[in-house]
């Protein structure tokens, strides 16, 4: 009940294409529940580190993440911070993100959720090279383990991000289902 510790050594960066990156990625992650029994049992502290590379040029792609979590039965959520050293095959570039989420079941089988993300595409640039995304959702547990959701997302890029990412200023609605085993 105290959590987990994991480590991985990976060859390259993914499965979608033929592997052209000869580098290795190392990942370490841990989740710690300081009080695994009682009222504070759902509280957790998460940390992860990835030392890796991307592309044929072996561009730096390191990540460090820290998060505070609440993993309760009726309320779940948390906040995370990630710092990236190397972004999109640009090894010297540094980026950061702050992410928060909340999922609640205020009535049996009725689900509500929200998520927010602030992504700083380049931490050395002015604050206008950021993308803010906010999602709200409503859903229902039709029959265990099936849950269905309607989600509405608003993404707002800053001026520099909007120029670099055409089409990134949008509203999006989605219908989704998941099986929770």
């Amino acid at each position: 009940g105290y959590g987990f510790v994991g480590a991985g050594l990976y060859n390259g960066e993914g499965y979608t294409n033929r592997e052209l990156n000869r580098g290795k990625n190392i990942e370490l992650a841990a989740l710690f529940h300081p009080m695994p029994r009682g009222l504070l049992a759902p509280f957790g502290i998460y940390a992860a580190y990835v030392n890796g590379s991307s592309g044929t040029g072996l561009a730096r792609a390191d990540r460090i993440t820290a998060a505070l979590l609440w993993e309760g039965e009726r309320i779940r959520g948390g906040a995370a911070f990630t710092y990236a050293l190397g972004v999109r095959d640009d090894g010297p570039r540094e980026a950061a993100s702050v992410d928060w989420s909340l999922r609640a079941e205020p009535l049996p089988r009725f689900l509500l959720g929200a998520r927010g993300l602030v992504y700083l595409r380049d931490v050395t640039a002015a604050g206008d090279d950021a993308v803010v995304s906010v999602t709200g959702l409503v859903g229902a547990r039709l029959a265990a383990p099936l849950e269905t959701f309607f989600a509405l997302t608003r993404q707002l890029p800053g001026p520099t991000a909007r120029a670099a990412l055409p089409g990134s200023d949008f509203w999006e609605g989605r219908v989704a289902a998941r099986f929770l085993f």
Side-chain angles (χ1 to χ4, degrees):
Y2 282 97
F4 76 89
V5 174
L9 175 64
Y10 307 99
N11 183 25
E13 59 200 51
Y15 301 103
T16 58
N17 299 311
R18 181 172 175 243
E19 187 58 62
L20 300 175
N21 178 336
R22 299 176 323 280
K24 305 293 183 257
N25 290 355
I26 299 169
E27 184 171 351
L28 304 170
L31 172 64
F32 177 58
H33 289 279
M35 296 179 206
R37 293 180 192 24
L39 291 175
L40 295 178
F43 175 69
I45 302 166
Y46 176 81
Y49 175 71
V50 176
N51 179 297
S53 62
S54 66
T56 57
L58 300 175
R60 181 180 191 177
D62 300 342
R63 307 285 181 268
I64 188 164
T65 300
L68 297 175
L69 308 170
W70 186 267
E71 299 175 315
E73 290 292 321
R74 307 259 327 235
I75 297 176
R76 301 177 70 84
F81 174 77
T82 299
Y83 196 82
L85 299 163
V87 179
R88 298 190 186 275
D89 296 338
D90 184 358
R93 187 172 172 184
E94 298 178 14
S97 69
V98 176
D99 189 354
W100 63 267
S101 64
L102 178 65
R103 178 187 178 273
E105 187 174 342
L107 301 170
R109 304 165 70 108
F110 178 66
L111 307 169
L112 294 173
R115 178 176 184 249
L117 170 70
V118 177
Y119 173 47
L120 303 172
R121 294 175 10 97
D122 187 348
V123 297
T124 61
D128 63 352
D129 196 2
V131 178
V132 175
S133 179
V134 178
T135 301
L137 68 85
V138 295
R141 184 176 306 106
L142 300 178
L146 176 62
E147 296 178 348
T148 59
F149 301 95
F150 173 71
L152 185 62
T153 298
R154 175 65 171 128
Q155 185 164 295
L156 295 161
T160 302
R162 181 179 291 114
L165 304 167
S168 61
D169 189 347
F170 63 83
W171 286 89
E172 177 183 70
R174 287 175 295 210
V175 175
R178 77 176 188 157
F179 289 94
L180 186 61
F181 293 101

